[in-house]
Amino acid sequence: MTTTLYGSASTASLVVHWLLIELDIEHELVLLDFDTRQQKSADYLALNPAGRVPTLVIDGQVLTEAAAIALHLADLHPQAGLLPAPGTEARAQAYRWMFWCANTLQPAYRAWFYADEVAGASNVDAVRDSARQQLEAGWARFAGHLQQGGPYVLGDRVSVVDFMLVMLIRWSRNMPVPSDTWPELKAYAERLKARPAFAEVYRREGITDWT
């Protein structure tokens, strides 16, 4: 099986790269230079017309969307135990929280980081304020969930959803109220950051912040 990940350091591709290392999947990493807009090159757009990362190619099959790729990797490697059995209540909760990441948190982050895309340059402040409020409310909700049902999103056992959530917690590190301001989220993130694969993905991508 040949596996190639197209990504860029410290972006949404980080969770896929982290999982590839966690699952000990041999792969090639192709880091795109966003400063030169390599993700908008004709060659890359032929692979991923959205011009975004990540893109994972497994034996010629092209996969996009970080949450979908993460779930698929967990399915391909059931021996790692990163997803509950299909059809169980725990599996349904895994889907619930993963789609919450993709449908609630990620759009709010995009509005924060690319506010001019949403409503034009003249409305950047209003868009970012709304995005910030959405994210802070979301993280407060998740902190409450961990208080009642932690230490991981599905309880006692780590799952693929935790990898996605910790990446998204990291994205708030330079916001007015970083998500790890909540003690529950800080402790939660530290548990995942202690995994050897986290240090290794940092090393390979040359990331030095939020250690």
Side-chain angles (χ1 to χ4, degrees), residues 144-158:
H145 170 75
L146 288 177
Q147 276 187 319
Q148 296 178 3
Y152 300 106
V153 67
L154 300 182
D156 292 334
R157 191 169 183 177
V158 70

Side-chain angles (χ1 to χ4, degrees), residues 35-205:
D35 289 338
T36 61
R37 293 179 60 79
Q38 201 171 3
Q39 78 277 18
K40 302 298 183 182
S41 68
D43 286 347
Y44 186 68
L45 290 175
L47 190 65
N48 182 344
R52 296 183 182 179
V53 294
T55 299
L56 187 68
V57 183
I58 302 176
D59 283 346
Q61 179 189 22
V62 178
L63 302 169
T64 63
E65 305 299 332
I69 296 171
L71 290 170
H72 185 58
L73 288 174
D75 276 339
L76 287 177
H77 299 273
Q79 74 282 356
L82 293 181
L83 273 178
T88 62
E89 180 181 351
R91 180 73 163 226
Q93 290 300 314
Y95 290 146
R96 170 199 173 195
W97 285 105
M98 189 64 98
F99 278 87
W100 182 68
C101 291
N103 292 342
T104 299
L105 297 181
Q106 284 191 277
Y109 272 121
R110 187 156 192 91
W112 171 264
F113 290 119
Y114 303 99
D116 59 313
E117 289 183 356
V118 178
S122 61
N123 296 299
V124 163
D125 290 343
V127 170
R128 295 187 83 197
D129 186 59
S130 175
R132 178 185 58 79
Q133 291 182 49
Q134 290 180 51
L135 287 164
E136 289 175 10
W139 289 125
R141 173 191 170 195
F142 184 55
H145 170 75
L146 288 177
Q147 276 187 319
Q148 296 178 3
Y152 300 106
V153 67
L154 300 182
D156 292 334
R157 191 169 183 177
V158 70
S159 75
V160 67
V161 190
D162 296 300
F163 290 78
M164 184 75 171
L165 281 160
V166 169
M167 180 186 73
L168 295 176
I169 287 173
R170 179 179 178 274
W171 285 5
S172 72
R173 66 196 182 281
N174 295 320
M175 293 185 69
V177 181
S179 52
D180 58 8
T181 298
W182 284 269
E184 298 84 2
L185 299 189
K186 183 174 178 61
Y188 170 72
E190 291 298 330
R191 281 190 287 275
L192 270 293
K193 288 161 68 175
R195 301 178 78 87
F198 185 83
E200 182 61 15
V201 75
Y202 258 44
R203 185 190 70 79
R204 295 188 192 185
E205 295 195 11

Side-chain angles (χ1 to χ4, degrees), residues 1-5 15-29 56-58 69-70 72-80 82 197 204:
M1 180 179 293
T2 60
T3 302
T4 304
L5 172 62
V15 68
V16 178
H17 193 193
W18 184 7
L19 284 165
L20 290 171
I21 296 169
E22 178 80 19
L23 295 168
D24 196 25
I25 300 171
E26 185 176 344
H27 62 279
E28 177 186 1
L29 175 65
L56 187 68
V57 183
I58 302 176
I69 296 171
H72 185 58
L73 288 174
D75 276 339
L76 287 177
H77 299 273
Q79 74 282 356
L82 293 181
R204 295 188 192 185

